[in-house]
Amino acid sequence: MTITEATAVVTDEELVERYGSPLYVYDLDRVIAARDALRAALPEQFTLFYSLKANPHPGLVRALGEGDGACRAEVCSTGELASALEAGHGADRILYSGPGKTAEEISVALTAGVRTFSVESLGDLQRLGAQAVLHGTTADALIRVNSAAAAATTSIRMTGTPSQFGFDAEGLSDLLPEIRAVEGIRVAGAHFFPLSNSKDEASLIAEFQETIRGAARLEAELGTPLRLLDIGGGFAAPYSVPGSRPVYGNLRAALEQTLDEHFPRWRQGVPEIACESGRYLVGDSGRLLTTVTNVKQSRGRTFAILDAGINTLGGMAGLGRLLPLSVEPKAGRRDGDGGGEPAEETVVSLAGPLCTPGDLLSRSARMPLPRPGDVIAVPNVGAYGPTASLLLFLGRPAPAEILLRAGEVTSASRLISSRAEIDTGVQ
């Protein structure tokens, strides 16, 4: 349920008092600013998909799909599909991807009106075709390619190695007769996504250039023009630490030059060129407010126990990957009762409330010595927040989530899970 209101935002403490703690705060103005920045970094002809895996909150998804530069939605589950539809995205403009699509999920998507799917293997393609035939329709399939070569040596690699993602590029030509024989589908294009969270612009550009060259080779092998070419993403953003989104000042010119060489009609939409982003578009829009419930000393270390842990900010499945988390500095903290010199910082281990030693958000956060009742903020967690966390572990309530626009709260909501929703009926 969403509660809509317009309340002036003053302080983090007032937000927590009103909406509870822990609390995610998303600034829609920052979401639009990120979208505009990415649009400016890309050729204007590009289609831009928002990957809901970063944050499926319908308010964020709606904002990204409205106005100039609107994004299309890329989903990889029926839950994400429901969020995209709730946010007003037309089913005929949604891209459904993912390596584990079941026949039932494909059926749900087709029934909703989705017609464009990224397929990861021959079996995936055959399941899609079979369901399309049952629904009396034809599905557009983007062949996802697991490229053999990699241009970037850093970042999170999605392909270029043995992988559940995509057809291996070196074996694709041998599979073309079987691909063409699948009923109910039309090969509409190609999908590449070789890396995530590129460490620098040079690596990102090099990977995109290699992708475009690989797509040109694929088009030649297919013997028919690609109608849609999704070159993936890899746009970076800081996560749970202070910092700003990268500025990609050289990306547009490099992409235009490479596309002119390999797809001379791309400016006329042949093929339509797309890319996708999740964390870049929403990452810096969100911060997590959490309250200190207890402070203790243990064998020379200071522990601050928070009401938010890995159930609230799990960092996808990477308990070790999340460290070191940082907190936003608190303005005005002074020694004593609000007077005197600025408080000296100390090293604090930030632990969550769960009964497991793995519930440790940071071993070495630098901050003024916290006190019970203090509200602290974790920056840059608009992506991979609640839905990427262990929400059901130990049954604690999900954090509240609020949306801001022009500094005012426009909605508040909380994810709710009940036993009734997951009861299998087994006695």
Side-chain angles (χ1 to χ4, degrees):
M1 178 180 297
T2 298
I3 307 164
T4 302
E5 55 186 73
T7 306
V9 174
V10 180
T11 67
D12 290 347
E13 286 75 12
E14 289 173 342
L15 288 175
V16 166
E17 183 178 358
R18 178 178 292 269
Y19 299 103
S21 177
L23 174 65
Y24 274 92
V25 182
Y26 306 122
D27 187 334
L28 294 179
D29 295 321
R30 297 188 70 85
V31 171
I32 300 306
R35 185 186 70 183
D36 291 347
L38 188 53
R39 282 289 189 191
L42 295 168
E44 62 178 321
Q45 297 91 339
F46 269 41
T47 294
L48 180 59
F49 285 97
Y50 171 58
S51 297
L52 269 72
K53 64 178 68 69
N55 191 330
H57 191 297
L60 298 179
V61 181
R62 181 177 297 109
L64 286 165
E66 295 176 339
D68 293 338
C71 298
R72 293 170 61 178
E74 182 265 326
V75 305
C76 53
S77 71
T78 53
E80 289 185 354
L81 173 60
S83 291
L85 295 174
E86 179 185 344
H89 287 256
D92 61 336
R93 291 177 53 77
I94 291 174
L95 171 63
Y96 201 114
S97 62
K101 297 184 287 292
T102 66
E104 292 77 12
E105 290 168 340
I106 294 169
S107 178
V108 169
L110 289 169
T111 299
V114 177
R115 291 296 180 268
T116 306
F117 296 78
S118 173
V119 293
E120 313 267 1
S121 65
L122 184 60
D124 195 24
L125 182 67
Q126 290 168 338
R127 268 188 301 279
L128 173 61
Q131 286 300 311
V133 169
L134 287 175
H135 283 75
T137 190
T138 299
D140 284 335
L142 303 185
I143 302 298
R144 181 164 177 175
V145 180
N146 179 4
S147 301
T153 57
T154 59
S155 312
I156 301 172
R157 292 227 55 85
M158 302 290 289
T159 55
T161 61
S163 174
Q164 70 268 44
F165 299 111
F167 291 78
D168 291 344
E170 63 274 20
L172 186 55
S173 59
D174 294 336
L175 290 175
L176 288 179
E178 293 179 82
I179 290 172
R180 294 191 179 103
V182 176
E183 296 183 9
I185 65 98
R186 172 174 51 194
V187 176
H191 182 197
F192 294 76
F193 202 109
L195 81 166
S196 178
N197 202 26
S198 178
K199 298 302 183 184
D200 55 71
E201 185 180 28
S203 295
L204 184 66
I205 289 173
E207 199 68 54
F208 276 144
Q209 289 173 328
E210 179 61 31
T211 290
I212 292 167
R213 289 190 287 267
R217 291 191 294 268
L218 175 61
E219 184 178 63
E221 290 179 359
L222 288 172
T224 56
L226 302 176
R227 292 194 292 113
L228 174 60
L229 170 58
D230 184 344
I231 63 174
F235 308 103
Y239 179 64
S240 76
V241 295
S244 302
R245 286 180 281 102
V247 176
Y248 297 117
N250 302 308
L251 180 60
R252 173 184 281 214
L255 286 172
E256 290 176 339
Q257 180 179 355
T258 307
L259 285 166
D260 284 341
E261 179 181 354
H262 295 282
F263 293 96
R265 298 176 59 204
W266 75 274
R267 295 177 190 266
Q268 290 76 48
V270 185
E272 177 185 0
I273 308 294
C275 63
E276 55 198 85
S277 176
R279 74 181 74 221
Y280 187 92
L281 292 172
V282 298
D284 77 346
S285 73
R287 69 187 193 278
L288 170 63
L289 305 183
T290 178
T291 301
V292 178
T293 61
N294 190 32
V295 178
K296 62 166 289 188
Q297 303 292 323
S298 177
R299 294 175 177 162
R301 290 174 62 186
T302 300
F303 286 82
I305 315 301
L306 311 177
D307 60 8
I310 56 176
N311 60 317
T312 305
L313 183 62
M316 301 191 343
L319 302 185
R321 287 172 52 190
L322 182 58
L323 304 169
L325 171 149
S326 298
V327 301
E328 292 178 350
K330 273 290 182 186
R333 171 62 70 85
R334 302 279 171 172
D335 289 325
D337 296 324
E341 297 296 321
E344 183 179 351
E345 288 191 342
T346 188
V347 175
V348 180
S349 294
L350 300 176
L354 306 184
C355 294
T356 169
D359 193 15
L360 192 65
L361 295 183
S362 179
R363 294 187 179 92
S364 57
R366 296 197 62 84
M367 58 191 300
L369 183 66
R371 300 175 297 221
D374 281 355
V375 175
I376 65 174
V378 182
N380 290 321
V381 288
Y384 304 116
T387 56
S389 303
L390 304 177
L391 277 177
L392 296 181
F393 187 40
L394 293 183
R396 296 183 68 88
E401 298 173 277
I402 64 173
L403 301 179
L404 303 180
R405 192 181 288 274
E408 295 186 343
V409 177
T410 60
S411 76
S413 60
R414 186 191 304 274
L415 292 169
I416 298 175
S417 177
S418 69
R419 290 295 302 173
E421 293 173 338
I422 59 175
D423 189 356
T424 64
V426 177
Q427 299 300 316

